[in-house]
Coordinates of all heavy atoms in Angstrom, one line a residue:
M1 N -22.2 -8.6 5.4 CA -21.4 -9.2 6.4 C -20.1 -8.4 6.5 O -19.5 -8.2 5.5 CB -21.2 -10.6 6.2 CG -20.4 -11.2 7.3 SD -19.9 -12.9 7.4 CE -20.7 -13.9 6.3
M2 N -19.7 -8.1 7.7 CA -18.4 -7.4 7.9 C -17.2 -8.4 7.8 O -17.3 -9.5 8.4 CB -18.5 -6.7 9.2 CG -17.3 -5.8 9.4 SD -17.7 -4.7 10.8 CE -16.3 -5.0 11.9
D3 N -16.2 -8.0 7.1 CA -15.0 -8.7 7.0 C -14.2 -8.5 8.3 O -13.7 -7.4 8.5 CB -14.2 -8.3 5.8 CG -12.9 -9.1 5.7 OD1 -12.6 -10.0 6.4 OD2 -12.1 -8.8 4.8
T4 N -14.0 -9.5 9.1 CA -13.3 -9.3 10.4 C -11.9 -10.0 10.3 O -11.2 -10.0 11.3 CB -14.1 -9.9 11.6 OG1 -14.3 -11.3 11.3 CG2 -15.4 -9.2 11.8
S5 N -11.5 -10.4 9.1 CA -10.1 -11.0 9.0 C -9.1 -9.9 9.2 O -9.3 -8.8 8.8 CB -10.0 -11.7 7.7 OG -10.2 -10.8 6.6
S6 N -7.9 -10.3 9.7 CA -6.9 -9.3 9.8 C -6.2 -9.2 8.4 O -6.0 -10.1 7.7 CB -5.9 -9.7 10.9 OG -5.2 -10.9 10.5
H7 N -5.8 -7.9 8.1 CA -5.2 -7.7 6.9 C -3.7 -7.5 7.1 O -3.2 -7.0 8.1 CB -5.7 -6.4 6.3 CG -7.2 -6.5 5.9 ND1 -7.7 -7.4 5.1 CD2 -8.2 -5.8 6.4 CE1 -9.0 -7.3 5.0 NE2 -9.4 -6.3 5.8
T8 N -2.9 -8.0 6.1 CA -1.5 -8.0 6.1 C -1.0 -7.3 4.8 O -1.8 -7.1 3.9 CB -0.9 -9.4 6.2 OG1 -1.2 -10.1 5.0 CG2 -1.3 -10.1 7.5
L9 N 0.3 -7.0 4.7 CA 0.8 -6.5 3.5 C 0.5 -7.6 2.3 O 0.2 -7.2 1.2 CB 2.3 -6.3 3.5 CG 2.7 -4.9 4.1 CD1 4.2 -4.8 4.2 CD2 2.1 -3.8 3.4
N10 N 0.6 -8.8 2.7 CA 0.3 -9.9 1.7 C -1.1 -9.8 1.2 O -1.3 -9.8 -0.1 CB 0.6 -11.3 2.2 CG 2.0 -11.4 2.7 OD1 2.3 -11.0 3.9 ND2 2.9 -11.9 1.9
T11 N -2.1 -9.6 2.0 CA -3.5 -9.5 1.6 C -3.8 -8.2 0.9 O -4.6 -8.1 0.0 CB -4.5 -9.8 2.8 OG1 -4.2 -8.9 3.8 CG2 -4.3 -11.2 3.3
L12 N -3.1 -7.1 1.3 CA -3.2 -5.9 0.7 C -2.7 -6.0 -0.8 O -3.4 -5.5 -1.7 CB -2.4 -4.8 1.4 CG -2.4 -3.4 0.7 CD1 -3.9 -2.8 0.6 CD2 -1.6 -2.4 1.5
F13 N -1.6 -6.6 -1.0 CA -1.1 -6.7 -2.3 C -2.0 -7.6 -3.2 O -2.2 -7.3 -4.4 CB 0.4 -7.2 -2.3 CG 1.4 -6.1 -2.2 CD1 1.5 -5.3 -1.1 CD2 2.3 -5.9 -3.3 CE1 2.4 -4.3 -1.0 CE2 3.2 -4.9 -3.2 CZ 3.3 -4.1 -2.0
E14 N -2.6 -8.6 -2.6 CA -3.6 -9.4 -3.3 C -4.8 -8.5 -3.7 O -5.2 -8.6 -4.8 CB -4.1 -10.6 -2.4 CG -3.2 -11.7 -2.2 CD -3.7 -12.7 -1.2 OE1 -4.9 -12.7 -0.9 OE2 -2.9 -13.5 -0.7
Q15 N -5.2 -7.7 -2.8 CA -6.4 -6.8 -3.0 C -6.0 -5.8 -4.2 O -6.9 -5.5 -5.0 CB -6.7 -6.1 -1.8 CG -7.9 -5.2 -1.9 CD -9.2 -5.9 -2.0 OE1 -9.3 -7.0 -1.5 NE2 -10.2 -5.3 -2.6
L16 N -4.8 -5.4 -4.2 CA -4.3 -4.5 -5.3 C -4.0 -5.2 -6.6 O -3.7 -4.5 -7.6 CB -3.1 -3.7 -4.8 CG -3.3 -2.8 -3.6 CD1 -2.0 -2.2 -3.1 CD2 -4.3 -1.6 -4.0
G17 N -4.1 -6.5 -6.6 CA -3.9 -7.3 -7.9 C -2.4 -7.4 -8.2 O -2.0 -7.5 -9.3
L18 N -1.6 -7.3 -7.1 CA -0.1 -7.4 -7.3 C 0.4 -8.7 -6.7 O -0.2 -9.3 -5.9 CB 0.6 -6.2 -6.6 CG 0.2 -4.8 -7.1 CD1 0.8 -3.8 -6.1 CD2 0.8 -4.6 -8.5
P19 N 1.6 -9.2 -7.2 CA 2.2 -10.4 -6.6 C 2.3 -10.1 -5.1 O 2.7 -9.1 -4.6 CB 3.6 -10.5 -7.2 CG 3.4 -9.7 -8.5 CD 2.4 -8.6 -8.3
S20 N 1.9 -11.2 -4.3 CA 1.7 -10.9 -2.9 C 2.6 -11.8 -2.0 O 2.4 -11.8 -0.7 CB 0.2 -11.2 -2.5 OG -0.2 -12.5 -2.8
D21 N 3.5 -12.5 -2.5 CA 4.4 -13.2 -1.6 C 5.4 -12.2 -1.1 O 5.6 -11.1 -1.6 CB 5.1 -14.4 -2.4 CG 6.0 -13.9 -3.5 OD1 5.4 -13.7 -4.6 OD2 7.2 -13.6 -3.3
T22 N 6.0 -12.6 0.0 CA 6.8 -11.6 0.8 C 8.0 -11.1 -0.1 O 8.3 -9.9 0.0 CB 7.3 -12.3 2.1 OG1 6.2 -12.6 2.9 CG2 8.2 -11.3 2.9
A23 N 8.6 -12.0 -0.8 CA 9.8 -11.6 -1.7 C 9.3 -10.6 -2.7 O 10.0 -9.6 -3.0 CB 10.4 -12.8 -2.3
A24 N 8.2 -10.8 -3.3 CA 7.6 -9.8 -4.3 C 7.3 -8.5 -3.7 O 7.6 -7.4 -4.3 CB 6.4 -10.4 -5.0
I25 N 6.8 -8.5 -2.5 CA 6.5 -7.3 -1.8 C 7.8 -6.5 -1.5 O 7.8 -5.3 -1.7 CB 5.7 -7.5 -0.5 CG1 4.3 -8.1 -0.9 CG2 5.6 -6.3 0.4 CD1 3.5 -8.6 0.3
D26 N 8.8 -7.2 -1.0 CA 10.0 -6.6 -0.7 C 10.6 -6.0 -2.0 O 11.2 -4.8 -2.0 CB 11.0 -7.6 -0.1 CG 10.7 -8.0 1.3 OD1 9.8 -7.3 2.0 OD2 11.2 -9.0 1.8
R27 N 10.6 -6.7 -3.1 CA 11.1 -6.1 -4.4 C 10.3 -4.9 -4.8 O 10.8 -3.9 -5.3 CB 11.0 -7.2 -5.5 CG 12.1 -8.1 -5.6 CD 12.1 -9.0 -6.8 NE 10.9 -9.7 -7.0 CZ 10.6 -10.9 -6.5 NH1 11.4 -11.5 -5.7 NH2 9.4 -11.5 -6.8
F28 N 8.9 -4.9 -4.6 CA 8.1 -3.8 -5.0 C 8.5 -2.6 -4.2 O 8.7 -1.5 -4.7 CB 6.6 -4.1 -4.7 CG 5.7 -3.0 -5.1 CD1 5.2 -2.9 -6.4 CD2 5.4 -2.0 -4.2 CE1 4.3 -1.9 -6.7 CE2 4.6 -0.9 -4.5 CZ 4.0 -0.9 -5.8
I29 N 8.7 -2.8 -2.9 CA 9.1 -1.7 -2.0 C 10.5 -1.1 -2.3 O 10.7 0.1 -2.3 CB 9.0 -2.1 -0.5 CG1 7.5 -2.2 -0.2 CG2 9.7 -1.1 0.4 CD1 7.2 -2.9 1.1
E30 N 11.4 -2.0 -2.7 CA 12.8 -1.6 -3.1 C 12.7 -0.8 -4.4 O 13.6 0.1 -4.6 CB 13.7 -2.8 -3.3 CG 14.0 -3.5 -2.0 CD 14.8 -4.8 -2.2 OE1 15.3 -5.0 -3.4 OE2 14.9 -5.5 -1.3
T31 N 11.8 -1.1 -5.3 CA 11.8 -0.4 -6.6 C 10.8 0.7 -6.8 O 10.8 1.4 -7.8 CB 11.6 -1.5 -7.7 OG1 10.4 -2.1 -7.5 CG2 12.7 -2.5 -7.8
H32 N 9.9 0.8 -5.8 CA 8.9 1.9 -5.9 C 9.0 2.7 -4.6 O 8.6 2.3 -3.5 CB 7.5 1.3 -6.0 CG 7.3 0.6 -7.2 ND1 7.6 -0.8 -7.3 CD2 6.7 0.9 -8.4 CE1 7.3 -1.2 -8.6 NE2 6.7 -0.2 -9.2
R33 N 9.6 3.9 -4.7 CA 9.9 4.7 -3.5 C 9.1 6.0 -3.5 O 8.8 6.5 -4.6 CB 11.4 5.1 -3.5 CG 12.3 3.9 -3.6 CD 12.4 3.1 -2.4 NE 13.0 3.8 -1.3 CZ 14.3 3.9 -1.2 NH1 15.2 3.4 -2.0 NH2 14.8 4.6 -0.1
L34 N 8.8 6.5 -2.4 CA 8.2 7.8 -2.2 C 9.2 8.7 -1.5 O 9.5 8.5 -0.4 CB 6.9 7.7 -1.4 CG 5.7 7.0 -2.0 CD1 4.6 6.8 -1.0 CD2 5.2 7.7 -3.2
F35 N 9.7 9.6 -2.3 CA 10.8 10.4 -1.8 C 10.4 11.7 -1.2 O 11.1 12.4 -0.5 CB 11.8 10.7 -2.9 CG 12.5 9.5 -3.4 CD1 12.1 8.9 -4.6 CD2 13.5 8.9 -2.7 CE1 12.8 7.8 -5.1 CE2 14.2 7.8 -3.2 CZ 13.8 7.2 -4.4
S36 N 9.1 12.1 -1.4 CA 8.6 13.4 -0.9 C 7.4 13.2 0.0 O 6.5 12.4 -0.3 CB 8.2 14.3 -2.1 OG 7.5 15.4 -1.6
E37 N 7.5 13.8 1.1 CA 6.3 13.8 2.1 C 5.1 14.5 1.5 O 4.0 14.4 1.9 CB 6.7 14.4 3.4 CG 7.7 13.5 4.2 CD 7.2 12.2 4.6 OE1 5.9 12.1 4.9 OE2 7.9 11.2 4.6
E38 N 5.4 15.3 0.4 CA 4.4 16.1 -0.2 C 3.4 15.3 -1.0 O 2.3 15.7 -1.3 CB 5.0 17.2 -1.1 CG 6.0 18.1 -0.4 CD 5.3 19.0 0.7 OE1 4.2 19.6 0.4 OE2 5.9 19.1 1.8
V39 N 3.9 14.1 -1.4 CA 3.1 13.3 -2.3 C 2.3 12.2 -1.4 O 3.0 11.4 -0.8 CB 3.9 12.5 -3.4 CG1 3.1 11.6 -4.2 CG2 4.7 13.6 -4.2
P40 N 1.0 12.3 -1.4 CA 0.3 11.2 -0.7 C 0.4 9.9 -1.3 O 0.7 9.8 -2.6 CB -1.2 11.7 -0.8 CG -1.1 13.1 -1.2 CD 0.1 13.3 -1.9
L41 N 0.4 8.8 -0.6 CA 0.6 7.5 -1.1 C -0.3 7.2 -2.3 O 0.2 6.7 -3.3 CB 0.2 6.4 0.0 CG 0.2 5.0 -0.4 CD1 1.7 4.6 -0.8 CD2 -0.3 4.1 0.7
H42 N -1.6 7.6 -2.3 CA -2.4 7.2 -3.4 C -2.2 8.0 -4.7 O -2.6 7.7 -5.7 CB -3.9 7.4 -3.0 CG -4.3 8.8 -2.8 ND1 -4.1 9.5 -1.6 CD2 -4.9 9.7 -3.6 CE1 -4.5 10.7 -1.7 NE2 -5.0 10.9 -2.9
E43 N -1.4 9.1 -4.6 CA -1.0 9.9 -5.7 C 0.3 9.5 -6.4 O 0.7 10.1 -7.4 CB -1.0 11.4 -5.4 CG -2.3 11.9 -5.1 CD -2.3 13.4 -4.8 OE1 -1.3 14.1 -5.0 OE2 -3.4 13.9 -4.3
A44 N 0.9 8.5 -5.9 CA 2.2 8.0 -6.5 C 1.9 7.5 -7.9 O 0.8 6.9 -8.2 CB 2.8 6.8 -5.6
T45 N 2.8 7.8 -8.8 CA 2.6 7.5 -10.2 C 2.6 6.0 -10.6 O 2.1 5.7 -11.7 CB 3.7 8.2 -11.1 OG1 5.0 7.7 -10.6 CG2 3.6 9.7 -10.9
F46 N 3.0 5.2 -9.7 CA 3.1 3.7 -10.0 C 1.8 3.0 -9.8 O 1.7 1.8 -10.1 CB 4.3 3.0 -9.3 CG 4.4 3.3 -7.9 CD1 3.6 2.7 -6.9 CD2 5.4 4.3 -7.5 CE1 3.8 3.0 -5.6 CE2 5.6 4.6 -6.1 CZ 4.8 3.9 -5.2
W47 N 0.7 3.6 -9.2 CA -0.5 3.0 -9.0 C -1.4 3.1 -10.2 O -1.4 4.1 -10.9 CB -1.3 3.5 -7.8 CG -0.6 3.5 -6.5 CD1 -0.2 4.6 -5.7 CD2 -0.1 2.4 -5.8 NE1 0.4 4.1 -4.6 CE2 0.6 2.8 -4.7 CE3 -0.1 1.0 -6.1 CZ2 1.2 1.9 -3.7 CZ3 0.5 0.1 -5.2 CH2 1.1 0.6 -4.0
T48 N -2.3 2.1 -10.5 CA -3.3 2.2 -11.5 C -4.4 3.1 -10.8 O -4.4 3.3 -9.6 CB -3.9 0.9 -11.9 OG1 -4.6 0.3 -10.7 CG2 -2.9 -0.1 -12.4
D49 N -5.3 3.6 -11.6 CA -6.4 4.4 -11.1 C -7.2 3.6 -10.0 O -7.5 4.2 -9.0 CB -7.4 4.8 -12.2 CG -6.8 5.9 -13.1 OD1 -5.7 6.5 -12.7 OD2 -7.3 6.1 -14.2
S50 N -7.5 2.3 -10.2 CA -8.3 1.6 -9.3 C -7.5 1.3 -8.0 O -8.0 1.3 -6.9 CB -8.8 0.3 -9.9 OG -7.7 -0.6 -10.3
Q51 N -6.2 1.1 -8.1 CA -5.3 0.9 -6.9 C -5.3 2.2 -6.1 O -5.4 2.1 -4.9 CB -3.9 0.5 -7.3 CG -3.8 -0.9 -7.9 CD -2.5 -1.2 -8.5 OE1 -1.8 -0.3 -9.0 NE2 -2.1 -2.5 -8.6
A52 N -5.1 3.3 -6.8 CA -5.0 4.6 -6.1 C -6.3 4.9 -5.4 O -6.3 5.3 -4.2 CB -4.7 5.7 -7.1
A53 N -7.5 4.6 -6.0 CA -8.8 4.8 -5.4 C -9.0 4.0 -4.2 O -9.5 4.4 -3.2 CB -9.9 4.6 -6.4
F54 N -8.5 2.7 -4.3 CA -8.7 1.8 -3.1 C -7.8 2.3 -1.9 O -8.3 2.4 -0.8 CB -8.2 0.4 -3.5 CG -8.2 -0.6 -2.3 CD1 -9.4 -1.2 -2.0 CD2 -7.1 -0.8 -1.6 CE1 -9.5 -2.0 -0.9 CE2 -7.1 -1.7 -0.5 CZ -8.3 -2.3 -0.1
L55 N -6.6 2.7 -2.2 CA -5.7 3.2 -1.1 C -6.3 4.5 -0.5 O -6.3 4.6 0.7 CB -4.3 3.4 -1.7 CG -3.6 2.2 -2.1 CD1 -2.3 2.5 -2.9 CD2 -3.2 1.3 -0.9
Q56 N -6.8 5.4 -1.4 CA -7.3 6.6 -0.9 C -8.6 6.4 0.0 O -8.7 6.9 1.1 CB -7.7 7.6 -2.0 CG -8.2 8.9 -1.6 CD -8.5 9.8 -2.7 OE1 -8.8 9.4 -3.8 NE2 -8.4 11.1 -2.5
D57 N -9.4 5.5 -0.5 CA -10.7 5.2 0.2 C -10.4 4.5 1.6 O -11.0 4.8 2.6 CB -11.6 4.3 -0.6 CG -12.2 5.0 -1.8 OD1 -12.1 6.2 -1.8 OD2 -12.7 4.3 -2.7
A58 N -9.4 3.6 1.6 CA -9.0 2.9 2.8 C -8.6 3.9 3.9 O -9.0 3.8 5.1 CB -7.8 2.0 2.6
I59 N -7.9 4.9 3.5 CA -7.4 5.9 4.5 C -8.5 6.9 4.9 O -8.8 7.2 6.1 CB -6.2 6.7 4.0 CG1 -5.0 5.7 3.8 CG2 -5.8 7.9 4.9 CD1 -4.5 5.0 5.1
Q60 N -9.2 7.4 3.9 CA -10.3 8.4 4.1 C -11.4 7.9 5.0 O -12.0 8.5 5.8 CB -10.8 9.0 2.8 CG -9.8 10.0 2.2 CD -10.3 10.6 0.9 OE1 -11.3 10.1 0.3 NE2 -9.7 11.7 0.5
A61 N -11.8 6.6 4.7 CA -12.9 6.0 5.4 C -12.4 5.3 6.7 O -13.2 4.8 7.4 CB -13.5 4.9 4.5
D62 N -11.1 5.4 6.9 CA -10.5 4.7 8.1 C -11.0 3.2 8.2 O -11.5 2.7 9.2 CB -10.8 5.4 9.4 CG -9.9 5.0 10.5 OD1 -8.8 4.4 10.3 OD2 -10.3 5.1 11.7
S63 N -11.0 2.6 7.0 CA -11.5 1.2 6.9 C -10.6 0.2 7.6 O -9.5 0.6 8.1 CB -11.6 0.8 5.4 OG -10.3 0.5 4.9
D64 N -11.0 -1.0 7.6 CA -10.2 -2.0 8.3 C -8.8 -2.3 7.5 O -8.0 -2.9 8.0 CB -10.9 -3.3 8.4 CG -11.5 -3.9 7.2 OD1 -11.7 -3.1 6.2 OD2 -11.8 -5.1 7.1
W65 N -8.7 -1.7 6.3 CA -7.5 -1.7 5.5 C -6.5 -0.6 5.9 O -5.3 -0.6 5.6 CB -7.7 -1.6 4.0 CG -8.4 -2.8 3.5 CD1 -9.7 -3.0 3.2 CD2 -7.7 -4.0 3.1 NE1 -9.9 -4.3 2.6 CE2 -8.7 -4.9 2.5 CE3 -6.4 -4.5 3.1 CZ2 -8.3 -6.2 2.1 CZ3 -6.0 -5.7 2.6 CH2 -7.0 -6.6 2.1
A66 N -7.0 0.4 6.6 CA -6.2 1.6 6.9 C -4.9 1.3 7.6 O -3.8 1.9 7.2 CB -7.0 2.6 7.7
E67 N -4.8 0.5 8.5 CA -3.6 0.2 9.3 C -2.5 -0.4 8.4 O -1.4 0.1 8.4 CB -3.9 -0.8 10.4 CG -2.7 -0.9 11.4 CD -3.0 -1.7 12.6 OE1 -4.2 -1.6 13.1 OE2 -2.1 -2.4 13.0
V68 N -2.9 -1.4 7.5 CA -1.9 -2.0 6.6 C -1.5 -1.0 5.5 O -0.4 -1.0 5.0 CB -2.3 -3.4 6.2 CG1 -3.4 -3.3 5.1 CG2 -1.1 -4.1 5.6
V69 N -2.4 -0.2 5.1 CA -2.1 0.9 4.1 C -1.1 1.8 4.7 O -0.1 2.2 4.0 CB -3.4 1.6 3.5 CG1 -3.0 2.8 2.7 CG2 -4.2 0.6 2.7
D70 N -1.3 2.2 5.9 CA -0.3 3.1 6.6 C 1.1 2.4 6.7 O 2.1 3.0 6.5 CB -0.8 3.4 8.0 CG -1.8 4.5 8.0 OD1 -2.0 5.2 7.1 OD2 -2.6 4.6 9.1
E71 N 1.1 1.1 7.0 CA 2.3 0.4 7.0 C 3.0 0.4 5.7 O 4.3 0.7 5.6 CB 2.1 -1.1 7.4 CG 3.3 -1.9 7.5 CD 3.1 -3.4 7.8 OE1 1.9 -3.8 8.2 OE2 4.0 -4.2 7.6
L72 N 2.3 0.2 4.6 CA 2.9 0.3 3.2 C 3.4 1.7 3.0 O 4.5 1.8 2.5 CB 1.9 -0.1 2.2 CG 2.3 0.0 0.7 CD1 3.5 -0.9 0.4 CD2 1.2 -0.2 -0.2
N73 N 2.7 2.7 3.3 CA 3.1 4.1 3.2 C 4.5 4.3 3.9 O 5.4 4.9 3.3 CB 2.0 5.0 3.7 CG 2.3 6.5 3.4 OD1 2.8 6.8 2.4 ND2 2.0 7.3 4.4
I74 N 4.6 3.9 5.1 CA 5.8 4.1 5.9 C 6.9 3.3 5.2 O 8.0 3.8 5.1 CB 5.6 3.6 7.3 CG1 4.6 4.6 8.0 CG2 6.9 3.5 8.1 CD1 4.1 4.1 9.4
R75 N 6.7 2.1 4.8 CA 7.8 1.3 4.2 C 8.2 1.9 2.9 O 9.4 1.8 2.6 CB 7.3 -0.2 4.0 CG 7.3 -0.9 5.4 CD 7.2 -2.4 5.3 NE 8.3 -2.9 4.6 CZ 8.3 -4.2 4.2 NH1 7.3 -5.0 4.5 NH2 9.4 -4.7 3.5
L76 N 7.3 2.4 2.1 CA 7.7 3.0 0.8 C 8.5 4.3 1.0 O 9.3 4.7 0.2 CB 6.5 3.3 0.0 CG 5.8 2.1 -0.7 CD1 4.5 2.4 -1.3 CD2 6.8 1.5 -1.8
R77 N 8.3 5.0 2.1 CA 9.0 6.2 2.4 C 10.4 6.0 3.1 O 11.3 6.8 3.1 CB 8.2 7.1 3.3 CG 7.0 7.7 2.5 CD 6.1 8.6 3.3 NE 4.9 8.8 2.6 CZ 4.7 9.6 1.6 NH1 5.7 10.3 1.1 NH2 3.5 9.7 1.0
N78 N 10.5 4.8 3.8 CA 11.7 4.6 4.6 C 12.6 3.5 4.0 O 13.5 3.1 4.7 CB 11.3 4.2 6.0 CG 10.6 5.3 6.8 OD1 10.9 6.5 6.5 ND2 9.7 5.0 7.7
A79 N 12.3 3.0 2.8 CA 13.1 1.9 2.2 C 14.5 2.4 2.0 O 14.7 3.6 1.7 CB 12.4 1.5 0.9
H80 N 15.4 1.5 2.1 CA 16.8 1.9 1.9 C 17.3 1.4 0.6 O 17.1 0.4 0.2 CB 17.7 1.3 3.0 CG 17.3 1.8 4.4 ND1 16.5 1.2 5.2 CD2 17.7 2.9 5.0 CE1 16.4 1.9 6.3 NE2 17.1 2.9 6.2

């Protein structure tokens, strides 16, 4: 059965096994930054192997998670 629920940053963080309330997500983004465009999101050093694989698969397969993974990527690169 296909999952047709909409994904949010909160559900993405749940999927990644991370605290998923909005304040925890904001803290994560403030403390985990991607400073180089050369480093793909899934290659950031702060992911576990399984988290990195999930993020990479979401983008490569253009899964229903891809849009929210892109949002996370943008926020990690543009955080102040």
